[in-house]
């Protein structure tokens, strides 16, 4: 064995280089910092598996060091045979069996659909999420790229896709489930902490697969009810002259053929519903903030920000018109 390979200096450097990677272990999109009942179970399984893996690695490396450095001479063939039989035949199935049983014991609760309580429908589009909530009055309200959940309640998700396979994954809250065309898959989650988390697509679905993130806001139940009520209300009228001209331009340029703004004549269903787009935490599925400048950028050149997007560029419109539309949309809180 190459002695420099084990030299303390080289290991120090490796540890130093690996240290920044630990930053990935926390944050709003970490399975190792669970904020939901299901994510806690998955994290527990991960730590048990890691513990076993480190233990086995330690034993194997210990044996290697023993025969290489401590007693580098020939060993009794009987001991060696038992070692191979024990370590190679008996121990692996035993360890894997225990882990399998543990993993399987978690499955029923992780895959059980929540029949009672809030049911949210999410459709994976190219490349954003269409989110539908039932309202207390018996209707449905459609949002995009933002999922809000009441803390401490088990919520059911019905997941679909019209064309390609996506995956619905909120690492901080639970496991991932594919969104498959022609099928409805189910997932249930129970958040335990108030906060803002991040969801992602975990199934390669095309050019902008990495650009369809969404925010997950876990709220106190009262705040959640107020939020849903507000989302179910029609859009507020334009505030000020620029926004008023923006609304006019939005409707005159045919934006309403793809987008709906409840309370106006815009009732398109192809693109995201924009009724309360200004209240969202991100624009274009986690790629931009929801200020007027970002709306301007998005309307002018959506393909630069999200390659392959279905929305056409509107850079042929005069700049003041784009500015007024952007102002109007950013006000739709
Ligand atoms: Cu949607 Cu990857």
């Amino acid at each position: 064995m190459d002695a420099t390979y084990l030299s303390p200096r080289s290991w120090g450097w490796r540890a130093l280089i690996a240290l920044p990677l630990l930053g990935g272990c926390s944050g709003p999109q970490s399975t190792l910092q669970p904020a939901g009942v299901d994510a806690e179970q998955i994290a527990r399984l991960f730590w048990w598996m890691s513990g076993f893996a480190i233990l086995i690695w330690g034993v194997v490396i210990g044996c290697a060091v023993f025969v290489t450095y401590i007693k580098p001479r020939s060993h009794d063939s009987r001991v060696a045979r038992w070692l191979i039989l024990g370590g190679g035949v008996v121990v692996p199935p035993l360890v894997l069996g225990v882990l399998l049983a543990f993993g399987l014991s978690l499955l029923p609760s992780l895959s059980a659909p929540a029949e009672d309580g809030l049911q949210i429908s999410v459709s994976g589009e190219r490349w954003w999420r269409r989110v539908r909530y039932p309202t207390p009055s018996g209707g449905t309200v459609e949002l995009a790229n933002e999922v809000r959940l009441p803390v401490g309640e088990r919520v059911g998700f019905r997941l679909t896709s019209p064309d390609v396979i996506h995956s619905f994954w909120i690492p901080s809250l639970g496991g991932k489930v594919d969104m498959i065309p022609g099928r409805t898959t189910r997932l249930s989650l129970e958040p335990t902490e108030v906060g803002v988390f991040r969801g992602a697509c975990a199934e390669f679905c095309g050019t902008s697969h990495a650009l369809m993130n969404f925010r997950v806001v876990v709220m106190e139940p009262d705040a959640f009810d107020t939020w849903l009520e507000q989302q179910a209300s029609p859009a507020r009228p334009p505030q000020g002259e620029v926004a008023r001209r923006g609304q006019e331009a939005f409707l005159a340029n045919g934006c309403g053929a793809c987008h709906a703004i409840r309370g106006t004549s815009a009732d398109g269903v192809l693109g995201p519903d924009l009724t309360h787009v200004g209240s969202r935490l991100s624009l274009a599925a986690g790629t931009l903030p929801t200020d007027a400048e970002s709306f301007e950028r998005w309307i002018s050149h959506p393909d630069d920000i999200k390659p392959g997007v279905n929305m056409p560029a509107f850079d042929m419109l005069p700049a003041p018109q784009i500015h007024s539309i952007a102002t109007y949309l950013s006000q739709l809180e």
Side-chain angles (χ1 to χ4, degrees):
M1 191 185 280
D2 180 2
T4 57
Y5 200 73
L6 283 174
S7 81
R9 191 167 168 267
S10 83
W11 280 103
W13 277 111
R14 273 156 218 233
L16 214 64
I17 292 164
L19 215 56
L21 295 177
L22 289 176
C25 297
S26 63
Q29 194 184 319
S30 172
T31 48
L32 300 181
Q33 207 177 24
V37 172
D38 311 82
E40 275 163 21
Q41 288 185 328
I42 293 168
R44 199 175 306 130
L45 179 64
F46 169 81
W47 288 118
W48 274 101
M49 285 178 76
S50 301
F52 268 102
I54 290 167
L55 187 74
I56 293 167
W57 182 83
V59 170
V60 171
I61 295 298
C63 289
V65 168
F66 182 77
V67 298
T68 317
Y69 291 100
I70 299 170
K71 281 201 170 168
R73 53 176 177 75
S74 66
H75 290 264
D76 187 350
S77 64
R78 258 187 326 147
V79 176
R81 201 176 306 129
W82 278 112
L83 208 65
I84 290 166
L85 266 178
V89 180
V90 180
V91 174
L94 209 68
V95 171
L96 292 176
V98 169
L99 285 174
L100 181 70
F102 183 37
L104 288 177
S105 75
L106 298 177
L107 263 188
S109 60
L110 288 179
S111 57
E115 297 297 347
D116 322 315
L118 181 63
Q119 299 290 328
I120 304 170
S121 302
V122 184
S123 167
E125 309 280 332
R126 285 181 298 157
W127 280 273
W128 56 285
R129 316 270 172 170
R130 191 188 295 277
V131 184
R132 289 198 183 97
Y133 279 82
T135 56
S137 57
T140 306
V141 62
E142 187 174 307
L143 321 167
N145 303 318
E146 200 163 295
V147 171
R148 297 210 176 206
L149 304 170
V151 69
E153 282 179 35
R154 187 150 281 275
V155 173
F157 288 90
R158 291 166 199 271
L159 309 168
T160 55
S161 168
D163 38 35
V164 294
I165 302 178
H166 302 271
S167 181
F168 183 82
W169 191 25
I170 310 167
S172 304
L173 300 189
K176 61 168 100 77
V177 171
D178 277 357
M179 314 173 92
I180 303 165
R183 268 202 228 178
T184 301
T185 45
R186 309 283 295 269
L187 174 72
S188 79
L189 296 173
E190 189 178 332
T192 50
E193 276 175 37
V194 169
V196 181
F197 306 98
R198 201 159 168 271
C201 185
E203 182 75 50
F204 183 70
C205 52
T207 41
S208 283
H209 154 71
L211 300 173
M212 58 179 297
N213 301 311
F214 57 103
R215 296 288 191 276
V216 182
V217 186
V218 178
M219 313 168 85
E220 292 295 346
D222 287 349
F224 172 80
D225 292 341
T226 311
W227 169 81
L228 188 55
E229 208 174 295
Q230 189 262 337
Q231 293 291 317
S233 64
R236 70 172 188 168
Q239 312 288 305
E241 181 52 25
V242 179
R244 198 195 54 74
R245 274 189 275 122
Q247 188 191 44
E248 255 174 40
F250 183 90
L251 299 172
N253 286 296
C255 306
C258 291
H259 297 283
I261 297 181
R262 278 175 275 125
T264 72
S265 60
D267 58 359
V269 295
L270 282 177
D273 184 302
L274 301 178
T275 307
H276 297 288
V277 67
S279 74
R280 289 180 200 146
L281 296 179
S282 78
L283 172 66
T287 51
L288 296 172
T290 47
D291 51 34
E293 290 90 311
S294 302
F295 275 101
E296 275 185 52
R297 274 185 66 200
W298 178 251
I299 295 165
S300 310
H301 300 286
D303 200 61
D304 287 358
I305 295 155
K306 190 177 290 202
V309 67
N310 285 330
M311 174 158 152
F314 281 85
D315 54 342
M316 70 296 208
L317 297 181
Q321 214 172 86
I322 294 180
H323 174 70
S324 65
I325 296 174
T327 307
Y328 168 57
L329 294 176
S330 66
Q331 282 183 359
L332 293 177
E333 290 179 356

